[in-house]
Structures are given as structure tokens and as C-alpha cells.
Amino acid sequence: MKVAVLGAGSWGTALAKVLAENDHEVYLWGRNASQIQQINDTKINQKYLPDTVLPESIMATTDLATALHEARMILIVVPTSAIRQTMENLNDLLVNESQPIIVHATKGLEQETKLRISEVMEEVLKPELYEALAVLSGPSHAEEVARQDITTVTVASHSLTAAQIVQDVFMNRYFRVYTNTDVIGVELGAALKNIIALGAGLIEELGYGDNAKAALITRGLAEISRLGVRMGADPLTFIGLSGVGDLIVTCTSPHSRNWRAGRLIAQGLAREEIFENVQMVVEGILTCKAAYELAKEHEIEMPITEALYHRLYENASVAESLEALMMREGKQEVSLQKHLEQE
């Protein structure tokens, strides 16, 4: 199968490597001409995965039409802010006869509209141009996938048949894929865990120990689930790979750019300074604003998200944010069933 991978960052490159190692015809598309030339010449993406030699069969290109031509599957791995424009480009270049399955592996919410990625895709893409939409997510650092560490992820689609096709295309001895039909839950778990990872990096930088980390992850999962269920997700999705699995890996590893950004938040850096320091898109910072606004709209309590929002967007001090978080009114920790009944 020919697969077009749109986005030559670390995750797009790692997934292109998986596909090529599964003997698919892979075209990796990116905008930076020198980076693309370097990948073709050396088979190394020096900026994003400098320690990984890519398969010879991967063809990198800056020509989107070349990447898309006769592709049976299109994998979108661009930042959230670029999703809408990318879909508009697909409208211009795809032909009705091709109808590929379109998969995205982007973890965020569109900032202005607060839409999930697949909602943006459905809003922009002409339905006659694609067979089905799917999302690939789960606990998966690009660096580890690139070196063939054992990894398990989920692919979700409203079409179980499409999800199974994506599963077959990606799965191999080190990259295991499960299917799901809860697109809402998988996308929200993927997007919202980045916010909690900011908090994990923050408490790490402040010197807090395992107690604080466990509390953050557990209560982070609770607020992700609250919002997700209110928005129509299956609550069981959040105890799966795209929920607690992705949350754990993102909150505990220096591979995570959101975790690293959280440490910079604790050091007092502003949003723009953090972006400049990390030199990659920090989806958690952008998603934090959208999630905060969604929580208000749906009347959902998301205290960790709220504390980070006040720090990032209203210049509250770290001390003030932690104080507000810890000194809230006492609550009862309820079972999932009671929580759902209350919802």
C-alpha cells in the first residue's frame, strides 16, 4: 500500500519508519526543503530523530501532490494549528476516485473553535474525497518507536472496518495496535493528557516527590474523564491506552515536550519563552486554554487545568496556582458509577 505521511517531525518520521519496515510504499512530506533533502541524502532526520537511520525505501518530498498521488492511506502528523489548512490542501489535490483512508496522529484541540481534530477534518474535507477518518493514539514516544521498543497504541474510527485496515497496516512485532470506535474519547484523552503533563513537569522541577506525582496523574485522569463523558465519550476509554496509558507515559518521561515545558513553567518562563526554548510545538499549552473554556461551557470542574490556565494565561504565580489547587473545598472521592450517575 502507498501511504503518504504528512508531517516530518519526530512522530511523523517514526511512524513512517514503522510503515516502511512493514513493506509499505512511504512518502514523507514536509515543508522544509533542506530537511527533506537531508532525509533523502542521509536517511537521517537530523533535527528530530538524529540517532535513527531510516529505511532506504522512504521517499521524502516537499511536493504534496507527489506524496498524495495514488496513496491508499494518508497519515496526518502536523501540529493542531496546521490541521485546517492541511485539510484545505487535500480538498484541492485529492480526486474522487482515490478515496483513501485518512488517519491523524495529532494530539490537541483547535484553539479558536475548541473542536477535536476529526471534527475539523469533517468540517473542511469534502466527504466524497475519503473512505473514512481514523485517529491513532496511545503511549508512544517517537524516540522509542524509532528504536523498535515494544509499543501499544489504539486506532479509533466510526468505521470498525477502517480501524481494522489501519491496524493491519501498522501492526508488527514491536508495534501493536488495538481498535476502538470511541473517536471522542480517544481524541480527548490524547489532547487533555498534555495539560496534565505540564503539571507533572512543574512539580518535578519544584522538587516534589512520588506522592505528588501519583496525586497529579490520578486526579488528572479524573478531570479528563469528567469532561470526556460530558462530551459523549465512553468512560472505559479513559482507562485504556489512549487514556491512562498515554497519561502515564507523558507525565513521567523527559522525552515528553509537555513535561519539559512544565519544568520551564515552574522556572517562571512565559509562553513565548517556553516555545522558543523547546523549539517544537507544545500542544499542552495551547490545549490548556481550549480545555479551560470547554470546562466552563460544560460546567465541569477541572482544577488542574484551571490552575495551569491561570499561570499561563493570567500570569498567576506558581505558588498562587498550587495554593488555589490544594486549598479548594474538601471533596468526596466517588466511584466511577456514582460519578456517571451524577453526570
Side-chain angles (χ1 to χ4, degrees):
M1 178 184 291
K2 178 179 177 180
V3 184
V5 179
L6 309 187
S10 57
W11 191 216
T13 303
L15 290 174
K17 181 174 182 287
V18 172
L19 292 165
E21 289 172 345
N22 289 355
D23 295 326
H24 297 292
E25 181 185 357
V26 179
Y27 277 71
L28 177 62
W29 174 84
R31 293 183 180 277
N32 188 309
S34 62
Q35 177 198 18
I36 294 301
Q37 187 63 51
Q38 181 186 67
I39 291 172
N40 282 329
D41 291 344
T42 68
K43 294 305 174 185
I44 295 175
N45 188 337
Q46 190 64 43
K47 182 175 180 180
Y48 292 106
L49 287 176
D51 299 325
T52 299
V53 178
L54 301 174
E56 287 289 334
S57 61
I58 292 178
M59 296 297 297
T61 181
T62 57
D63 183 11
L64 187 56
T66 297
L68 296 175
H69 181 62
E70 296 185 344
R72 297 298 304 129
M73 185 175 293
I74 301 171
L75 176 63
I76 310 292
V77 205
V78 299
T80 300
S81 59
I83 288 289
R84 187 172 291 273
Q85 182 61 58
T86 302
M87 294 305 102
E88 291 173 356
N89 294 340
L90 294 190
N91 272 341
D92 294 337
L93 294 171
L94 290 178
V95 294
N96 292 6
E97 294 77 18
S98 60
Q99 293 189 316
I101 294 173
I102 301 179
V103 188
H104 82 80
T106 300
K107 301 179 178 183
L109 298 171
E110 190 173 49
Q111 191 154 18
E112 295 303 320
T113 66
K114 299 180 287 294
L115 294 175
R116 293 177 286 107
I117 303 299
S118 66
E119 290 179 310
V120 178
M121 296 168 76
E122 289 172 340
E123 185 174 278
V124 178
L125 272 175
K126 299 172 186 175
E128 64 269 21
L129 295 181
Y130 61 92
E131 180 182 337
L133 300 178
V135 51
L136 185 75
S137 186
S140 48
H141 290 310
E143 297 86 350
E144 296 185 4
V145 171
R147 66 173 184 248
Q148 300 187 353
D149 276 11
I150 290 175
T151 301
T152 56
V153 297
T154 295
V155 58
S157 175
H158 298 305
S159 165
L160 181 58
T161 299
Q164 290 169 334
I165 292 171
V166 179
Q167 179 185 49
D168 289 342
V169 166
F170 276 94
M171 200 156 78
N172 60 31
R173 62 178 177 80
Y174 68 87
F175 198 79
R176 183 168 179 79
V177 184
Y178 291 83
T179 59
N180 197 323
T181 56
D182 180 20
V183 175
I184 297 174
V186 169
E187 287 188 314
L188 287 177
L192 299 177
K193 56 88 184 176
N194 285 330
I195 303 170
I196 309 305
L198 295 175
L202 185 149
I203 63 173
E204 178 78 22
E205 180 67 17
L206 294 177
Y208 290 101
D210 295 338
N211 293 354
K213 296 170 190 174
L216 181 88
I217 291 172
T218 306
R219 298 312 304 165
L221 182 62
E223 63 182 65
I224 289 170
S225 302
R226 277 198 297 271
L227 181 61
V229 170
R230 179 62 63 87
M231 293 179 68
D234 181 342
L236 293 179
T237 297
F238 299 110
I239 60 172
L241 291 167
S242 60
V244 68
D246 209 0
L247 184 63
I248 290 171
V249 80
T250 313
C251 286
T252 59
S253 173
H255 285 315
S256 166
R257 70 189 69 170
N258 291 282
W259 184 88
R260 298 199 307 270
R263 300 192 70 162
L264 299 175
I265 293 171
Q267 294 170 21
L269 274 67
R271 296 196 311 275
E272 295 74 16
E273 294 173 308
I274 293 170
F275 293 142
E276 183 178 348
N277 189 290
V278 176
Q279 294 189 333
M280 287 188 284
V281 175
V282 182
E283 293 282 9
I285 290 177
L286 303 175
T287 303
C288 184
K289 183 175 185 293
Y292 174 81
E293 293 169 354
L294 281 172
K296 296 299 182 186
E297 289 176 16
H298 290 279
E299 299 181 335
I300 293 292
E301 287 191 359
M302 298 184 71
I304 298 170
T305 300
E306 185 172 343
L308 286 162
Y309 173 84
H310 290 317
R311 169 67 190 89
L312 288 166
Y313 290 91
E314 296 180 350
N315 296 317
S317 71
V318 172
E320 289 172 338
S321 299
L322 284 174
E323 180 81 4
L325 187 61
M326 292 300 295
M327 295 307 295
R328 293 176 302 120
E329 179 186 358
K331 303 286 184 180
Q332 180 181 8
E333 186 177 37
V334 297
S335 70
L336 178 61
Q337 183 59 42
K338 288 182 179 179
H339 168 70
L340 296 179
E341 290 170 357
Q342 289 172 1
E343 288 295 320

